[in-house]
Amino acid sequence: MQTRIVDGEENAVLRGVVATLQDLGYRITRAEAGAGTVSATRLTGLRLAVVVRGQAGGRSLVRANATVLGLGRERQVDSPEFYLRNFFIPLQDTIGREMLVADAAMVAPEAPRPTAEILPGRRAPVAPASTPATGGSGPEGRTP
């Protein structure tokens, strides 16, 4: 997880996050403007969750949390270089503003853990429908 500070209003920065993720080949799986969160997935098995929180003075905190999916497991990405190269520099280029490393004393938003998406065509199992009682000649098996 990594956090940066950027001069910019929260909604504008959040729009920049979405644009950056799409430019990087991510598919947006969840975006909640009210909560300031975006989750995205790449075909390479990489998931990224980003939280943007407005701060005083027209600044925003941006926290990114990445996980890599492996066979039967998921690993947290901890490398600061990964976040810089694969998210923060492209975000900086998209929004046209320099980003600063957040001071440890600043309260940064907790980035949600990226969650699995429900794939199209896959649904939760449905319980079998109950069958009407038989025994009559009327509709639904009832005697008129």
Side-chain angles (χ1 to χ4, degrees):
M1 237 181 304
Q2 291 287 306
T3 305
R4 299 287 188 273
I5 302 167
V6 62
D7 283 326
E9 184 265 328
E10 181 177 353
N11 286 331
V13 174
L14 191 60
R15 285 191 303 272
V17 166
V18 171
T20 299
L21 291 171
Q22 289 175 330
D23 288 348
L24 292 172
Y26 285 88
R27 188 165 68 86
I28 306 300
T29 55
R30 179 175 289 161
E32 297 180 28
T37 61
V38 178
S39 294
T41 305
R42 275 175 101 168
L43 292 176
T44 58
L46 182 62
R47 292 184 184 153
L48 192 63
V50 181
V51 177
V52 178
R53 292 283 186 266
Q55 300 292 303
R59 288 182 160 187
S60 294
L61 282 174
V62 179
R63 174 170 265 182
N65 182 27
T67 57
V68 178
L69 303 176
L71 293 173
R73 63 186 178 137
E74 189 171 315
R75 278 183 323 135
Q76 171 77 34
V77 177
D78 294 324
S79 167
E81 295 81 27
F82 169 88
Y83 289 97
L84 185 63
R85 186 176 56 248
N86 295 296
F87 179 66
F88 288 115
I89 288 176
L91 176 60
Q92 181 174 298
D93 293 343
T94 298
I95 63 176
R97 299 191 177 157
E98 191 172 334
M99 304 190 111
L100 306 170
V101 176
D103 185 325
M106 296 188 81
V107 176
E110 185 63 34
R113 181 177 179 172
T115 58
E117 60 186 291
I118 297 175
L119 299 175
R122 294 194 71 170
R123 296 189 176 136
V126 178
S130 60
T131 56
T134 59
S137 59
E140 298 178 14
R142 286 183 260 156
T143 305

